[in-house]
């Protein structure tokens, strides 16, 4: 709110000396309406830890409503822990691009699998054990480390890093999503999110062949212990995402016989 006068002066210079409504719900200037909605969204996230509704909390004209709609769709698509929409796909913003439509389908497919197989463990035993993780940039390996997936989502790594959590979630389509987080000594959280072919997992149970998980690394900063719901985010810290350029490939460390 402290920046609001400067915002009005920048975008409504002819009105900067005029009356500024103290009640945001009575605001009529489109740009200020949008500004108030963004501020209210941040306040709600800070106070409650997350938001479920994707609808603007304050009045907006149609054009800015669409802009807010697209913003929330992007936050959902990127997996922001601060935005946790209702599991009903109909509550999500209407898609405007094929990518957004694919995101809605992925949410539907994941919810469908969870509802029809509620007893499926998020920490399957076939993924427990040591994994060799290769970090890559531009196709070149820049580092190799060992990560151990323990029972009930525990993660072990070599110091000075600290393991946080791991879990497996269904979808999208024929893939399963494997996510684990590591805390660096400077406070940065490295989140590894990769995909594993479901058929390959099933085949590996019989053949004992090693499976591979490929994905990307997100660099994040911890934002304190927020309220955790009963869904996926109960094991993952609610954090702001900053996409990095690092990819990774991980494979099981074969036990010596």
């Amino acid at each position: 709110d402290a920046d609001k006068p400067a915002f009005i002066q920048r975008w409504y210079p002819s009105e900067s000396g005029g009356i500024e409504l103290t009640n945001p719900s009575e605001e009529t200037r489109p740009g200020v309406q949008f500004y108030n909605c963004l501020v209210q969204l941040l306040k709600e996230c800070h106070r409650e830890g997350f938001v479920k509704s994707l609808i603007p909390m304050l009045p907006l004209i149609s054009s800015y409503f669409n802009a807010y709609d697209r913003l929330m769709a992007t936050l959902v698509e990127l997996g922001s822990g601060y935005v946790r929409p209702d599991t009903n796909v109909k509550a999500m913003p209407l898609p405007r691009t094929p990518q957004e439509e694919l995101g809605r389908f992925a949410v539907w497919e994941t919810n469908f699998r969870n509802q029809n197989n509620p007893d499926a463990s998020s920490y399957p035993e076939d993924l427990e054990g040591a994994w060799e993780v290769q970090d890559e940039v531009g196709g070149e390996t820049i580092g190799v480390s060992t990560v151990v997936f323990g029972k009930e989502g525990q993660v072990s790594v070599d110091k000075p890093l600290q393991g946080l959590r791991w879990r497996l979630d269904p979808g999208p389509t024929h893939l399963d999503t494997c996510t684990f987080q590591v805390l660096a000594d400077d406070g940065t959280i490295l989140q590894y999110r990769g995909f594993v072919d479901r058929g390959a997992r099933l085949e590996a149970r019989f053949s004992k062949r090693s499976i591979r998980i490929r994905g990307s690394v997100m660099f994040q900063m911890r934002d304190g212990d927020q309220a955790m719901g009963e869904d996926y985010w109960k094991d993952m810290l609610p954090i702001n995402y900053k996409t990095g350029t690092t990819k990774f490939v991980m494979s099981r460390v074969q036990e010596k016989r």
Side-chain angles (χ1 to χ4, degrees), residues 27 32 43 68 73 78 109 124 126 136 146 163 188 195 250:
E27 180 60 63
V32 182
K43 286 181 178 180
Y68 187 92
L78 294 179
E109 192 261 354
D126 63 303
E136 300 178 347
T146 300
T188 301
F195 303 97
M250 56 189 293

Side-chain angles (χ1 to χ4, degrees), residues 124-132 146-151 154 156 166 250-253 255:
E125 294 183 357
D126 63 303
L127 294 186
E128 293 180 1
W131 293 79
E132 181 183 80
T146 300
V147 176
V148 180
F149 287 173
K151 294 184 178 299
Q154 299 297 317
S156 299
W166 77 272
M250 56 189 293
S251 56
R252 291 296 297 266
V253 176
E255 298 181 356

Side-chain angles (χ1 to χ4, degrees), residues 19-150:
I19 299 176
E20 180 180 340
L21 296 176
T22 58
N23 187 353
S25 63
E26 299 177 7
E27 180 60 63
T28 58
R29 291 165 291 191
V32 182
Q33 284 183 335
F34 189 67
Y35 181 93
N36 288 336
C37 281
L38 296 182
V39 172
Q40 187 63 32
L41 175 63
L42 293 175
K43 286 181 178 180
E44 191 72 13
C45 290
H46 183 268
R47 181 172 59 251
E48 302 294 336
F50 60 92
V51 296
K52 287 186 176 181
S53 176
L54 303 181
I55 304 301
M57 303 176 188
L58 294 169
L60 281 176
I61 65 172
S62 59
S63 59
Y64 278 96
F65 185 94
N66 292 337
Y68 187 92
D69 207 26
R70 293 180 66 85
L71 170 64
M72 299 302 286
T74 300
L75 292 175
V76 172
E77 182 180 351
L78 294 179
S80 172
Y82 289 111
V83 182
R84 309 179 195 174
D86 294 333
T87 55
N88 186 357
V89 176
K90 294 182 179 179
M92 298 179 63
L94 294 177
R96 294 179 176 82
T97 66
Q99 186 175 13
E100 291 180 4
E101 180 63 42
L102 179 61
R104 280 168 56 91
F105 175 78
V107 171
W108 173 86
E109 192 261 354
T110 299
N111 293 333
F112 179 82
R113 290 185 58 196
N114 284 330
Q115 293 171 3
N116 287 271
N117 191 18
D119 297 328
S121 173
S122 298
Y123 321 107
E125 294 183 357
D126 63 303
L127 294 186
E128 293 180 1
W131 293 79
E132 181 183 80
V133 180
Q134 300 182 23
D135 295 317
E136 300 178 347
V137 173
E140 299 291 334
T141 301
I142 61 173
V144 180
S145 59
T146 300
V147 176
V148 180
F149 287 173

Side-chain angles (χ1 to χ4, degrees), residues 149-169:
F149 287 173
K151 294 184 178 299
E152 296 302 318
Q154 299 297 317
V155 176
S156 299
V157 292
D158 293 333
K159 294 183 178 180
L161 300 177
Q162 176 184 344
L164 297 178
R165 302 288 295 172
W166 77 272
R167 66 179 291 124
L168 187 78
D169 291 286

